[in-house]
């Protein structure tokens, strides 16, 4: 059983509230637009981190993190990318691969809109944790927390970390 904290779009913002949730997780996954690498450095001091770079991230972030991160957590195949779109409206850069080789869990950020939905056509769970940072149009900062237990994704929680 692995407890995951999923966040995105920190845009250089990290605070004690985010770090409190980091400390409670087994792993932290960041879906891009990290901003300053002090964000990921602070997370890595506490827990293992899997991340991707986003469209605002600089060359240093792009050297440290990939555009796409595909891996398995327990018996769940996972794909994290920053700009992925949504079921029925996937980004053209990922659409073909999602059809040919879909993961069980597809994660993206970018929109600053928290959304979790099952894609029946591609038989995958889509997650976007919204934005944990203070930059952007969103009103409430959000993250997701869930458990991967063997081949099951369960105990999903929305974490609202306050207005920006």
């Amino acid at each position: 059983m692995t407890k995951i904290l999923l966040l995105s779009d920190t845009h250089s913002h990290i605070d004690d509230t985010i770090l409190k949730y980091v400390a409670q997780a087994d792993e932290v996954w960041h879906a891009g637009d990290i901003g300053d690498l002090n964000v990921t450095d602070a997370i890595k001091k506490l827990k293992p981190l899997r991340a991707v770079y986003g469209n605002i991230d600089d060359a240093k972030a792009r050297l440290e993190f990939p555009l796409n991160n595909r891996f398995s957590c327990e018996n769940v195949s996972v794909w994290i990318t920053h700009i992925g779109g949504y079921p029925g409206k996937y980004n053209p850069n990922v659409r073909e691969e999602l059809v040919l080789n879909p993961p069980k869990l597809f994660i993206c950020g970018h929109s600053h809109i928290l959304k979790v939905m099952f894609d029946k056509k591609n038989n995958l769970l889509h997650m976007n944790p919204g934005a944990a940072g203070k930059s952007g149009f969103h009103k409430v900062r959000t993250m997701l927390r869930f458990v991967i237990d063997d081949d099951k994704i369960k105990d999903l929680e929305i974490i609202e970390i306050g207005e920006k």
Side-chain angles (χ1 to χ4, degrees):
M1 187 171 80
T2 308
K3 293 182 277 184
I4 308 298
L5 177 68
L6 174 60
L7 68 160
S8 187
D9 296 276
T10 47
H11 291 264
S12 302
H13 179 79
I14 190 85
D15 60 32
D16 289 341
T17 302
I18 294 171
L19 292 174
K20 174 184 84 170
Y21 287 102
V22 167
Q24 295 170 7
D26 295 323
E27 290 185 14
V28 178
W29 300 351
H30 195 303
D33 277 4
I34 296 159
D36 192 309
L37 288 181
N38 289 333
V39 169
T40 50
D41 290 345
I43 293 169
K44 288 190 292 187
K45 284 180 185 173
L46 297 174
K47 296 294 172 163
L49 173 70
R50 298 178 195 258
V52 296
Y53 70 79
N55 57 295
I56 68 133
D57 292 317
D58 64 13
K60 287 196 294 186
R62 291 167 191 242
L63 283 172
E64 185 167 345
F65 300 108
L67 172 63
N68 296 293
N69 195 346
R70 289 199 76 153
F71 58 92
S72 290
C73 179
E74 299 202 20
N75 287 310
V76 173
S77 59
V78 180
W79 181 0
I80 305 175
T81 194
H82 183 61
I83 302 176
Y86 294 99
K89 294 184 179 178
Y90 288 118
N91 183 297
N93 296 328
V94 302
R95 191 178 303 130
E96 185 178 349
E97 183 68 16
L98 277 176
V99 171
L100 295 174
N101 186 18
K104 184 165 186 169
L105 176 58
F106 181 67
I107 295 169
C108 63
H110 187 62
S111 70
H112 293 217
I113 300 168
L114 186 146
K115 192 178 282 194
V116 177
M117 57 195 299
F118 189 74
D119 178 347
K120 291 178 188 169
K121 184 177 176 185
N122 294 304
N123 195 33
L124 61 86
L125 182 62
H126 174 278
M127 287 187 185
N128 184 324
K134 293 187 172 187
S135 297
F137 68 88
H138 60 282
K139 302 258 190 265
V140 177
R141 297 165 43 224
T142 57
M143 302 184 293
L144 291 171
R145 181 164 56 180
F146 57 95
V147 170
I148 294 181
D149 188 1
D150 189 32
D151 64 347
K152 307 262 187 304
I153 302 163
K154 62 184 193 178
D155 301 335
L156 176 66
E157 297 175 71
I158 295 170
I159 300 168
E160 292 186 349
I161 46 178
E163 296 187 14
K164 21 182 228 183

